[in-house]
Amino acid sequence: MSMSVIRAAEIKIAEAKKNGLIKGPVHLGVGQEAIAVGVSKNLRNSDRIFGAHRSHSHILGVDNDLHKLFAEVLGRNTGFSYGMGGSMHLASKSKGFLGSVPIVTGTVPLALGAGLASKLQKSGDIAISYLGDGATEEGVFHESLNFARVSNIPILFVVENNLFSSHMHMSLRQPLNTINRFAKAHKIETRLIDGNDVVEIYRTTSEFIRKMRSKPEPYLIEAITYRWFGHVDWREDIDVGVARSKKDLLNWKKRDPIKRLSDAMINKKIWTKEKQDTLDLKVDELIDENWEKALKDDFPDRKSLLDNVYKYD
Amino acid sequence: MCINMIRTSYSDAILSGFDYLLKNYPEVFVLGQGLWSPWYVGNTMKNLDKKYGKDRIIDTPVSESACTGAAVGASICGMKPIIVHPRMDFMLYAMDSIVNQAAKWSYMFGGQLNAPVTIRSIINRGGSQGAQHSQALHSWFAHIPGIRVVMPSTAQDARDLLISSVLCPDPVIYIDDRWLYEQTANLGPIKETPLNAITPKCLKEGDQITIIGSGYSTLLALKASNKLNCDGIDAEVFDLRVLNPLNSKNLLDSVLKTKRLLVIDSGWKSCGMASEVITSIVEQIPTDTLIDQPRRITLPDCPAPSCEVHEKDYYPNEEKIIKFINDEYYF
């Protein structure tokens, strides 16, 4: 799915949250779309992808069903998780998106196990673990890097370093400002890249994944980026936390991954302003159509409260 | 005739359960600390690495959290992993993967995914090991919807319930107790039984008091009940086997018959398994059913002491149970 659609979907969700249509918390990744899109282009349905709390882009990257995302954030039974998850618990089994949850770092060891399973099954499939800079402060992240290395597990850790964990800037949480040092400490090949450059993300991921499929090994990408909204919901949060100023936000908006790609393509004369405008209109229509459809869907049956606690009755 | 049958110990029964699973199910693999060591997990994993290879029997770094999470993740991807915690106390590092992730993976995503991981956790206590090398935390886990908690007390169940646990599509915590490793039984042929068909089992029939245990407590109950027979007290003994979800149907029938109830638990008193069992029975029977009030024997509410003098007072034993029954109930 394209960055533009992901952007527009999240802006729609932001509005609906503000208007009270969405009940649960939503963690928006507007500004960070390039990472999921660049990574996902290298994946196949049998790969195993795990996300976290800010994972709308991660699931849309491999499953372009906007209606299911909208239905899920609205708690409808047609959603990605049949209305049982909401924004923070998304899955699409058939596309290899095996779950996103809001416990920070909670899915990192799960992705590790998914990679281990792939190695034992000799499938050539790989595991993707999306995590943020805050997640690297949990102990289990370091355990996972170590285990991945000593057991040669085919897992790609994709660290979206947006410089903030909730309200706290990285400089207040860690002594150094990049996290790829942890990969180096565990002899894991790593690269620090521009998280707002979709081409660079695609190329780096492509190179790593090609190697992983032929020889199971872990890799780590640190992609530097910035989220336009605050930690949760629709506010920009330019007045909370430390070092998240309006000036910083405006500067980062100049590094908008979508505009950068579009401008670069126009410069190279493989794209035009007119085409971009037409695309934007089409995206808006797509968003509205799927949103309206989701709004008409049903909530889960009240009788289903106890369903699926166990697979066995 | 039974004369020629070979008695198998509880620990060998576990080993034979592993052997059966590894032989018949290529998706089964085991990971955990000490699996390549001859003394870490008794003889319950002996030579499995040599027989099935170090790819399937993985001795891991000292990382309970990552390794348990990895087992959960592998289970989501079509494998049937068993993560072994040679001592339950250390497993507390892995609580997120167990409680937040495995237990909820099916529910949170509307049933499209599940985490059929087996978490084998060993109770290893006594011998002045003290507060952090002694805990039996089954009640904690039994509190969590989405995790099945299994505690075998006999050699037969040690093997068969391990197999049922690993083949179950839900996450299971299988808890064995090293104090039971020398128990023996004549094991019949293996018959796969779905875990949800396992209910509390009556190990001794009687009509004057129902004694309910789990794991090692069941053994104590059984031994005490045999001696109580000499005092003219005919006790019925039940083994819970599966603590969560708890099926109290046959326990209820027993209490309606004996009209006396005692639960023995190897955990603490407060918010413990004994409280749950008593409540689940008492809330379903007429108020005038019981001749004596329902009672429980548990650990006192303090950490396990290291000193051998305190240790003797800390753990329930056969004599204490017999005295308790004679003192607290009127027959």
Side-chain angles (χ1 to χ4, degrees), chain A residues 13-303:
Chain A
I13 290 170
E15 284 167 13
K17 179 64 193 176
K18 193 175 181 179
N19 297 337
L21 279 171
I22 294 172
K23 304 298 173 196
V26 291
H27 300 82
L28 303 165
V30 171
Q32 305 185 176
E33 299 89 349
I35 300 166
V37 171
V39 170
S40 301
K41 290 283 176 209
N42 295 293
L43 300 178
R44 56 197 194 199
N45 290 345
S46 51
D47 288 328
R48 297 101 195 255
I49 309 149
F50 288 82
H53 56 291
R54 198 179 309 286
S55 276
H56 297 156
S57 64
H58 304 147
I59 194 165
L60 289 178
V62 291
D63 188 335
N64 62 11
D65 198 329
L66 274 180
H67 167 247
K68 280 189 179 170
L69 178 67
F70 289 156
E72 192 56 49
V73 298
L74 287 164
R76 309 305 162 105
N77 63 11
T78 48
F80 272 129
S81 304
Y82 306 99
M84 298 303 288
S87 165
M88 298 196 294
H89 315 90
L90 302 167
S92 172
K93 189 181 180 183
S94 62
K95 303 289 184 185
F97 194 85
L98 302 185
S100 61
V101 297
I103 295 287
V104 173
T105 331
T107 57
V108 172
L110 272 61
L112 181 75
L116 175 61
S118 165
K119 190 183 172 193
L120 291 168
Q121 291 156 344
K122 297 186 171 47
S123 65
D125 299 322
I126 59 150
I128 299 284
S129 177
Y130 284 111
L131 64 150
D133 45 296
T136 68
E137 287 149 29
E138 295 283 2
V140 72
F141 168 69
H142 302 269
E143 291 184 16
S144 298
L145 292 187
N146 180 61
F147 191 28
R149 179 69 275 175
V150 295
S151 294
N152 290 323
I153 292 174
I155 177 169
L156 177 61
F157 299 95
V158 180
V159 182
E160 299 177 318
N161 183 354
N162 64 18
L163 312 176
F164 282 85
S165 175
S166 177
H167 59 292
M168 284 277 275
H169 190 264
M170 193 160 167
S171 61
L172 300 167
R173 300 179 282 115
Q174 297 193 23
L176 295 171
N177 64 3
T178 61
I179 65 89
N180 62 70
R181 67 188 195 274
F182 300 127
K184 290 171 189 162
H186 290 94
K187 293 178 75 178
I188 290 175
E189 190 175 338
T190 181
R191 206 162 298 158
L192 175 65
I193 58 175
D194 181 348
N196 287 15
D197 180 346
V198 71
V199 178
E200 188 181 357
I201 294 157
Y202 171 78
R203 282 191 183 138
T204 307
T205 315
S206 175
E207 179 195 329
F208 283 176
I209 290 180
R210 200 166 46 243
K211 289 198 241 178
M212 291 165 77
R213 293 207 198 279
S214 57
K215 185 181 175 217
E217 273 192 297
Y219 291 85
L220 185 144
I221 287 172
E222 178 181 9
I224 307 291
T225 188
Y226 202 82
R227 57 172 150 75
W228 293 8
F229 288 110
H231 165 64
V232 63
D233 298 342
W234 73 93
R235 299 171 193 87
E236 288 185 329
D237 281 4
I238 48 176
D239 53 349
V240 299
V242 188
R244 189 174 164 97
S245 67
K246 190 167 187 177
K247 195 174 145 220
D248 282 351
L249 179 60
L250 289 174
N251 281 334
W252 274 97
K253 283 189 175 178
K254 288 179 194 157
R255 297 169 57 81
D256 177 358
I258 299 177
K259 191 162 185 310
R260 278 171 72 185
L261 179 69
S262 178
D263 288 353
M265 287 166 71
I266 291 168
N267 279 342
K268 290 239 166 141
K269 305 207 185 305
I270 50 173
W271 190 243
T272 64
K273 175 83 173 60
E274 292 69 38
K275 279 187 182 170
Q276 182 64 44
D277 290 343
T278 315
L279 177 73
D280 289 345
L281 278 175
K282 271 194 186 162
V283 168
D284 287 345
E285 278 172 29
L286 190 66
I287 296 293
D288 287 342
E289 185 188 312
N290 283 286
W291 180 259
E292 293 306 320
K293 191 177 163 202
L295 272 179
K296 292 190 190 95
D297 291 339
D298 290 330
F299 292 103
D301 194 314
R302 285 180 68 185
K303 290 192 198 108

Side-chain angles (χ1 to χ4, degrees), chain B residues 196-212:
Chain B
N196 59 342
I198 305 289
T199 57
K201 187 176 185 179
C202 181
L203 297 185
K204 177 186 172 298
E205 288 188 12
D207 58 13
Q208 287 181 288
I209 180 171
T210 300
I211 309 178
I212 302 169

Side-chain angles (χ1 to χ4, degrees), chain A residues 48 80-81 84-85 89-91 93 98 101 103 106 109-110 113-114 117 120-121 140 143 305 307-313, chain B residues 29 55 61 63 65-66 69-70 73-74 77 79 96 101 105-113 146 148 169-170 196 244:
Chain A
R48 297 101 195 255
F80 272 129
S81 304
M84 298 303 288
H89 315 90
L90 302 167
K93 189 181 180 183
L98 302 185
V101 297
I103 295 287
L110 272 61
L120 291 168
Q121 291 156 344
V140 72
E143 291 184 16
L305 178 68
D307 288 357
N308 297 310
V309 176
Y310 300 98
K311 296 300 282 184
Y312 269 173
D313 288 335
Chain B
F29 73 99
D55 284 345
S63 305
S65 185
C77 298
M79 302 297 283
D96 177 65
Q101 315 305 340
W105 216 257
S106 167
Y107 192 81
M108 292 188 296
F109 304 116
Q112 70 184 294
L113 294 159
R148 295 176 187 273
D170 299 311
N196 59 342
N244 188 51

Side-chain angles (χ1 to χ4, degrees), chain B:
Chain B
M1 293 293 285
C2 292
I3 293 164
N4 293 326
M5 285 185 76
I6 299 162
R7 290 188 74 83
T8 308
S9 70
Y10 184 100
S11 54
D12 281 337
I14 294 174
L15 180 64
S16 91
F18 274 110
D19 190 60
Y20 175 84
L21 288 160
L22 287 156
K23 191 189 294 170
N24 294 290
Y25 292 91
E27 64 270 40
V28 170
F29 73 99
V30 195
L31 70 168
Q33 288 170 51
L35 302 193
W36 299 343
S37 157
W39 55 269
Y40 240 82
V41 279
N43 59 345
T44 64
M45 305 289 300
K46 199 175 175 184
N47 292 332
L48 288 175
D49 56 325
K50 294 179 184 71
K51 194 166 175 187
Y52 295 101
K54 287 184 159 51
D55 284 345
R56 286 181 79 196
I57 311 294
I58 307 168
D59 201 333
T60 70
V62 190
S63 305
E64 288 82 2
S65 185
C67 294
T68 307
V72 174
S75 79
I76 293 167
C77 298
M79 302 297 283
K80 295 186 192 301
I82 305 161
I83 169 81
V84 178
H85 292 281
R87 212 181 263 285
M88 183 177 273
D89 314 66
F90 290 82
M91 191 169 90
L92 303 193
Y93 275 121
M95 288 299 269
D96 177 65
S97 293
I98 299 169
V99 177
N100 280 325
Q101 315 305 340
K104 298 167 176 55
W105 216 257
S106 167
Y107 192 81
M108 292 188 296
F109 304 116
Q112 70 184 294
L113 294 159
N114 57 317
V117 63
T118 300
I119 299 154
R120 178 186 169 206
S121 188
I122 304 175
I123 299 171
N124 186 349
R125 58 206 159 127
S128 290
Q129 295 184 91
Q132 298 181 350
H133 272 41
S134 298
Q135 293 169 94
L137 298 170
H138 46 282
S139 305
W140 265 22
F141 297 104
H143 180 65
I144 311 295
I147 303 181
R148 295 176 187 273
V149 180
V150 172
M151 265 180 114
S153 75
T154 65
Q156 178 86 39
D157 275 349
R159 180 193 70 184
D160 294 350
L161 296 189
L162 178 67
I163 294 167
S164 300
S165 297
V166 173
L167 300 183
C168 176
D170 299 311
V172 178
I173 298 187
Y174 169 100
I175 300 169
D176 54 287
D177 188 326
R178 287 186 83 133
W179 279 353
L180 288 166
Y181 279 17
E182 309 307 320
Q183 296 305 305
T184 61
N186 297 319
L187 300 190
I190 290 172
K191 187 171 147 273
E192 293 179 6
T193 310
L195 192 57
N196 59 342
I198 305 289
T199 57
K201 187 176 185 179
C202 181
L203 297 185
K204 177 186 172 298
E205 288 188 12
D207 58 13
Q208 287 181 288
I209 180 171
T210 300
I211 309 178
I212 302 169
S214 53
Y216 183 70
S217 308
T218 303
L219 178 65
L220 289 180
L222 208 51
K223 284 183 172 172
S225 70
N226 288 332
K227 290 208 178 140
L228 284 167
N229 270 358
C230 306
D231 302 336
I233 298 170
D234 193 11
E236 184 147 291
V237 176
F238 269 89
D239 182 20
L240 284 179
R241 306 208 287 170
V242 177
L243 280 63
N244 188 51
L246 180 65
N247 182 332
S248 56
K249 172 71 177 66
N250 50 6
L251 305 176
L252 194 67
D253 293 342
S254 173
V255 173
L256 287 170
K257 176 177 74 177
T258 65
K259 301 186 178 3
R260 291 182 186 88
L261 171 61
L262 170 65
V263 180
I264 307 173
D265 187 34
S266 55
W268 289 296
K269 187 173 183 177
S270 177
C271 299
M273 199 62 214
S275 333
E276 182 56 36
V277 172
I278 290 172
T279 307
S280 68
I281 294 168
V282 167
E283 68 187 357
Q284 294 184 78
I285 56 177
T287 46
D288 59 353
T289 304
L290 294 177
I291 297 166
D292 290 301
Q293 55 196 326
R295 305 301 301 263
R296 55 186 156 164
I297 295 175
T298 66
L299 297 177
D301 283 334
C302 67
S306 295
C307 166
E308 61 185 308
V309 175
H310 285 323
E311 212 174 39
K312 276 183 188 144
D313 291 332
Y314 185 69
Y315 292 110
N317 62 29
E318 207 178 314
E319 288 68 37
K320 287 184 200 173
I321 294 166
I322 292 167
K323 184 172 186 315
F324 185 90
I325 290 172
N326 278 311
D327 290 352
E328 302 294 331
Y329 293 84
Y330 297 92
F331 291 95

